[in-house]
Amino acid sequence: APVMMARVNRPVIVPLLGASLGLDSVWISLVFGVCAALEILLVIPAGTLMDRYGRAAVAVPCALLMGAGFILLAILGTTLAGQGTTLAVVALLVPSLLIGLGNGMGAGIVMTLGIDVSPVHDRTRYLAWWNTMLGSGRLAAPLVVTAIALVAPIALAGAATGALCLAGGAWLARTLPRVTPSGSTRRR
């Protein structure tokens, strides 16, 4: 759920923070374009890592990198506000690249984990529950941003999203090695 929340919140928080930094839509769009290119480049390597080294080798860095990116976005968005266009672009681009790196590394991980942990019997019911859980993350994400933005700067919503991702990454690091395949079975 935290990974899904981060994926939903990125296209909400990044443009709002970019606008609060004084960037126009061209700069914000360029940041999104560069990050999208990075994510696309990581799809095949992420799948290879997942198959070779197990699900935790992809899911944990995905959550942790996205969390760190959101925290950095909040920090740079706050400290570099009002410092000019160049520093505003840096404040938006660097953390967005970190978020994009994490998101690209996690390409396909959410549904793969659903299949991995689903029981053989009654799999469709379990996957329906899994999708409902993911949907709750998708629905809660903009509500968290809205609730925080009502009373605090948008950077705090980014920090909250980052904290949720870091907590989710820690939980995944502890849980996934016990419940998912650990890597390639070619050598066995």
Side-chain angles (χ1 to χ4, degrees):
V3 169
M4 293 309 296
M5 290 178 81
R7 288 177 173 172
V8 169
N9 279 348
R10 183 178 57 161
V12 174
I13 293 172
V14 171
L16 289 174
L17 191 60
S20 74
L21 288 169
L23 295 175
D24 62 13
S25 58
V26 172
W27 284 112
I28 295 169
S29 297
L30 282 171
V31 167
F32 267 97
V34 168
C35 292
L38 175 65
E39 288 177 31
I40 290 168
L41 289 172
L42 289 171
V43 169
I44 292 174
T48 303
L49 278 173
M50 192 180 342
D51 290 342
R52 263 196 201 144
Y53 300 106
R55 309 313 188 226
V58 171
V60 173
C62 167
L64 294 178
L65 285 170
M66 289 175 76
F70 274 106
I71 299 280
L72 186 61
L73 187 66
I75 292 168
L76 291 181
T78 303
T79 59
L80 297 180
Q83 303 282 331
T85 303
T86 304
L87 287 177
V89 170
V90 168
L92 199 64
L93 179 62
V94 172
S96 293
L97 285 171
L98 197 56
I99 295 167
L101 179 66
N103 196 30
M105 281 197 68
I109 191 64
V110 173
M111 295 311 293
T112 302
L113 287 175
I115 295 295
D116 284 346
V117 298
S118 65
V120 175
H121 300 293
D122 213 13
R123 180 168 278 170
T124 54
R125 181 175 297 186
Y126 180 86
L127 290 175
W129 172 84
W130 181 264
N131 280 325
T132 301
M133 184 181 69
L134 296 177
S136 68
R138 283 186 204 106
L139 288 173
L143 294 174
V144 169
V145 172
T146 301
I148 292 171
L150 284 173
V151 297
I154 193 68
L156 190 58
T161 301
L164 286 170
C165 272
L166 292 175
W171 181 80
L172 288 169
R174 181 182 170 124
T175 305
L176 285 184
R178 293 180 298 184
V179 298
T180 61
S182 60
S184 178
T185 57
R186 289 184 205 154
R187 292 181 297 262
R188 295 182 199 154

